[in-house]
Amino acid sequence: MHYLATLAGREDTGVDPGTPEFDAEVAKYAAFEERAADAVAGGAALFPSADAMHVRRAGGRTLVTDGPFAEQAEVVGGFYVFDAPDLDAAIELARRLPAAEDGTIELRPMVMWSPHETPRGDWWLALLWEAPDAVIAPGTPEWDAAVAEHERFGAKYAAAVRGGGALQPPSSATTLRVRDGELLLTDGPFPEFAEVVDGLYLFAAASRAEAAEIAAAIPLGEHGRTEVRRVVDLGD
Amino acid sequence: MTTGPAGIDAVYRAEFGRAVATVAGMVGDIALAEDAVQEAFADALRTWPERGAPANPGAWITTAARHRALDRLRRESARAVKEYDAVVARAPIEEAEVSPVADDQLRMIFTCCHPALSPPSQVALTLRLVCGMRTAEIARAFLQPEHTVAQRLSRAKAKIRQAGIPLRVPPAHLLPERLPVVLACVYLVFTEGYFATSGPSAVRDELCDEAIRLGRLLCGLLPGEPEARALLALMLLQDSRRGQRRAEDDLIPLEEQDRPAWNHAAIRAGLACLESAAADGAGPYLAQARIAAAHATAPSWAETDWHAIVASYDQLLRYSASPAVRVNRAVAVGFSRGFGAGLAALDEVADDPRLAGTHLVPATRADLLRRAGRRREAAESYRAALDLAANEQVRRFLARRLAEVEE
């Protein structure tokens, strides 16, 4: 079973890619991955949200805007996909993530996941956010229609898409924090965000403009929003 | 007697949880097991009055439910082949009766109380799947609309399935952080029955009874866990006063209760449990049980062993930094070392932000001042407490006291 672990935390820590502090963080995650070994089925670290793009619908048009979204105290800093036999195994992995100590991790079972190679410098992450009550449940006719739309997108941009996945409903989410060594679990998605994660894509694009074009083609709910973020190149 | 609807209802109470736990263990799907057991009881209602009740109704229900579940798995070809094979290939269907196993119930309790489920879901699921309470009964007991409880139950079951919450007793290294969740769930069932003082009291009594039944079940399933016994001791000791806590619509403080009318059989059982728990370990429930025992064994309010109670509060504070515990400790300090000392102990916790906006501190201060004979200051504190108290019963109690000190 695949679980999406979305890592969220405050961004004002000054740990930006390219700094020694960032490299120290990366080393911690490398140690985590070594321990987690085969259970890691995907993941990426993200550049700060300052240069994010957002795609949404407005008056029947698709609108792309720049910059971080609203005034959120916490933002998504990266994600992992775990291949784990059950929720307990996924929790055991997530609680060892360095982000668990100073941020929040949301664990969501996935309906599907297409794995990817090691992220490169020209990769982007598209996080699909949706209003909680607008989320479509798997197995419904609306779901099948949405899947067909995503298949059309996938076929059109097959050369760019590097990976992606769909999630079980937000009610199946568990959020997790570790404070003073104590594991704290909460039933449900990130309490910090008004919207819920509804899916994700990884894709390659040579430029910001090309990334915006691809992101704008990703199917989007009437109340949804696509957050586009640059992926940190962690390859050697 | 077991053949009529009333008799079958008694079997339902006793056997529903065990049957669901056992069938769920076999088919790996709680919702399927629950439906199958429900159908097995429908079969029983149809056939027992004609043919007579079986010698072992629990085994009959479990076997019938297992057949029902297997039939369903066979019919639903869309279901995972793996699931079907695991059940069907393991044993031929025509085998002898299946009897529920205690381990299955323990697995079910830990699954219902998984920390990834919210506490209200844990409680509702445990009452439904372990105690066999019907949705309508749970709704009545918690004074909630039935559809709210039904929705909570179906959401929790969907989460167990979708999120892959395992149906098992957690491995040894997780037990220390998982058992407290289970004990907290059982105690929550109890306190909901014992401390919630509005609504149809008969149903609330049922929650106290279910919690004690769950406590006994846990003690039997986990004989090596002294905290399970300590929790049972705590519940039995508190429960011994249940009948004396309420008069009409008002709360009677412990001080004014009719002690000979307490349930002394429950006190004896609680004390025996406490002794056995204390011999094997220490923990937050043991400390709370000791406090309850000191009250239960005191010949009168004045002759209560307040030193022992303060010592137990100090123990309790090692496990929980709860400001409410410190407030209660301040009261006990007042009785054991003088009300001035109690007020000083209260001052130490009064600024805790977690108590801001509650009537707890001013009400406690008012009580200590009243006992110290400082009536004018007490009246002031009662007024401050009245400004903050939201519960009608509490307000009536505070107003009564205010009138006393204003006389």
Side-chain angles (χ1 to χ4, degrees):
Chain A
M1 197 160 161
H2 286 121
Y3 292 87
L4 174 67
T6 312
L7 285 48
R10 300 190 66 88
E11 240 182 0
D12 46 17
T13 50
V15 183
D16 293 334
T19 61
E21 290 81 7
F22 184 81
D23 292 341
E25 278 288 297
V26 170
K28 277 200 242 169
Y29 281 90
F32 164 80
E33 285 178 35
E34 204 164 305
R35 281 187 67 173
D38 298 342
V40 175
L46 303 176
F47 275 95
S49 64
D51 68 347
M53 287 183 281
H54 297 270
V55 182
R56 84 197 82 194
R57 285 195 178 146
R61 290 188 310 130
T62 304
L63 199 72
V64 182
T65 51
D66 282 334
F69 187 71
E71 292 305 312
Q72 275 162 349
E74 301 213 320
V75 296
V76 174
F79 77 93
Y80 274 100
V81 172
F82 297 135
D83 188 357
D86 56 42
L87 184 63
D88 279 350
I91 290 171
E92 282 308 292
L93 289 161
R95 74 192 296 176
R96 295 195 158 73
L97 278 169
E101 308 268 345
D102 53 14
T104 312
I105 294 169
E106 181 189 297
L107 276 176
R108 280 274 283 284
M110 303 188 82
V111 180
M112 55 181 111
W113 169 242
S114 41
H116 60 83
E117 308 288 311
T118 303
R120 308 294 301 267
D122 61 345
W123 283 28
W124 301 74
L125 173 75
L127 261 181
L128 281 45
W129 294 93
E130 186 56 274
D133 52 6
V135 171
I136 299 169
T140 57
E142 294 86 352
W143 172 270
D144 293 338
V147 167
E149 265 194 82
H150 280 279
E151 277 169 357
R152 278 195 291 278
F153 162 77
K156 189 171 175 195
Y157 290 94
V161 173
R162 295 289 183 267
L167 303 174
Q168 292 282 3
S171 55
S172 64
T174 302
T175 47
L176 172 159
R177 292 159 222 259
V178 175
R179 295 293 181 267
D180 301 323
E182 196 191 337
L183 174 71
L184 306 167
L185 296 177
T186 318
D187 194 356
F190 281 125
E192 288 289 323
F193 299 109
E195 298 155 309
V196 294
V197 181
D198 200 30
L200 74 163
Y201 278 107
L202 282 165
F203 62 88
S207 66
R208 194 175 165 83
E210 193 186 325
E213 185 206 314
I214 295 172
I218 296 173
L220 181 64
E222 208 52 54
H223 307 281
R225 164 176 74 90
T226 303
E227 176 180 348
V228 189
R229 302 279 299 276
R230 261 184 69 206
V231 168
V232 179
D233 185 357
L234 297 175
D236 346 321
Chain B
M1 178 240 160
T2 45
T3 54
I8 291 175
D9 203 62
V11 176
Y12 189 96
R13 270 258 176 278
E15 303 291 346
F16 181 89
R18 300 207 293 166
V20 170
T22 299
V23 177
M26 289 167 171
V27 300
D29 183 330
I30 291 172
L32 173 64
E34 188 190 2
D35 288 350
V37 172
Q38 201 71 40
E39 286 167 15
F41 273 102
D43 292 346
L45 263 177
R46 220 171 22 247
T47 58
W48 291 6
E50 284 170 31
R51 296 183 217 160
N56 185 344
W60 190 99
I61 291 290
T62 309
T63 307
R66 181 168 177 272
H67 284 276
R68 288 287 197 162
L70 291 176
D71 285 346
R72 175 92 70 93
L73 282 177
R74 265 201 216 93
R75 275 201 311 274
E76 292 175 19
S77 50
R79 263 200 125 88
V81 180
K82 192 176 69 179
E83 227 174 26
Y84 177 78
D85 285 351
V87 179
V88 179
R90 209 160 50 183
I93 312 239
E94 287 73 23
E95 65 168 331
E97 288 191 332
V98 193
S99 279
V101 183
D103 281 357
D104 289 328
Q105 263 191 302
L106 193 56
R107 269 198 286 277
M108 184 60 86
I109 294 175
F110 273 97
T111 305
C112 291
C113 296
H114 195 281
L117 298 169
S118 70
S121 300
Q122 293 168 0
V123 167
L125 269 185
T126 304
L127 289 175
R128 173 71 197 128
L129 297 177
V130 181
C131 301
M133 270 175 86
R134 294 174 174 94
T135 309
E137 292 171 325
I138 299 171
R140 256 206 323 276
F142 287 98
L143 304 176
Q144 283 164 348
E146 192 174 336
H147 72 88
T148 307
V149 174
Q151 209 170 41
R152 177 170 292 147
L153 282 167
S154 68
R155 249 193 221 156
K157 280 182 272 185
K159 171 148 187 189
I160 290 175
R161 194 179 58 246
Q162 287 167 344
I165 290 178
L167 183 58
R168 65 161 190 204
V169 177
H173 74 280
L174 287 180
L175 213 51
E177 66 183 30
R178 290 289 174 82
L179 184 62
V181 182
V182 170
L183 298 179
C185 172
V186 175
Y187 194 44
L188 202 63
V189 173
F190 181 80
T191 52
E192 198 58 39
Y194 190 77
F195 292 106
T197 44
S198 55
S201 56
V203 186
R204 298 301 178 92
D205 287 339
E206 199 171 293
L207 277 184
C208 293
D209 294 339
E210 283 302 335
I212 288 171
R213 209 183 76 154
L214 273 169
R216 287 215 170 91
L217 179 66
L218 270 183
C219 289
L221 294 171
L222 295 166
E225 293 294 340
E227 274 292 276
R229 265 171 282 154
L231 171 63
L232 180 58
L234 171 63
M235 293 192 297
L236 285 167
L237 290 165
Q238 287 185 333
D239 197 56
S240 70
R241 305 193 287 268
R242 196 205 308 171
Q244 301 306 309
R245 290 187 79 234
R246 287 176 298 221
E248 311 267 313
D249 222 11
D250 275 321
L251 273 180
I252 307 176
L254 211 146
E255 193 175 356
E256 295 164 18
Q257 287 174 19
D258 179 9
R259 287 170 189 250
W262 286 348
N263 180 345
H264 292 275
I267 293 176
R268 279 191 300 277
L271 292 175
C273 240
L274 171 62
E275 198 181 327
S276 146
D280 289 349
Y285 291 108
L286 184 68
Q288 292 179 78
R290 282 207 167 107
I291 295 166
H295 285 301
T297 53
S300 70
W301 178 255
E303 292 165 279
T304 304
D305 187 349
W306 293 107
H307 296 292
I309 290 179
V310 172
S312 295
Y313 273 121
D314 288 337
Q315 286 278 331
L316 185 55
L317 282 170
R318 284 190 209 165
Y319 304 103
S320 138
S322 154
V325 172
R326 295 178 66 199
V327 169
N328 289 334
R329 179 184 173 276
V331 175
V333 168
F335 283 105
S336 74
R337 299 178 202 157
F339 298 115
L343 284 163
L346 184 64
D347 283 340
E348 286 170 27
V349 63
D351 292 334
D352 193 302
R354 287 170 290 180
L355 295 174
T358 75
H359 68 280
L360 200 57
V361 170
T364 307
R365 179 171 290 128
D367 189 62
L368 288 165
L369 288 166
R370 178 179 63 89
R371 292 176 191 276
R374 294 154 67 175
R375 296 163 68 100
R376 200 182 45 77
E377 292 162 89
E380 219 168 280
S381 287
Y382 277 122
R383 279 186 216 107
L386 267 166
D387 280 346
L388 292 167
N391 181 292
E392 263 317 302
Q393 228 158 26
V394 172
R395 290 180 60 82
R396 272 204 302 279
F397 177 79
L398 291 170
R400 206 173 77 208
R401 285 277 192 250
L402 175 61
E404 280 169 32
V405 293
E406 275 177 335
E407 270 168 19

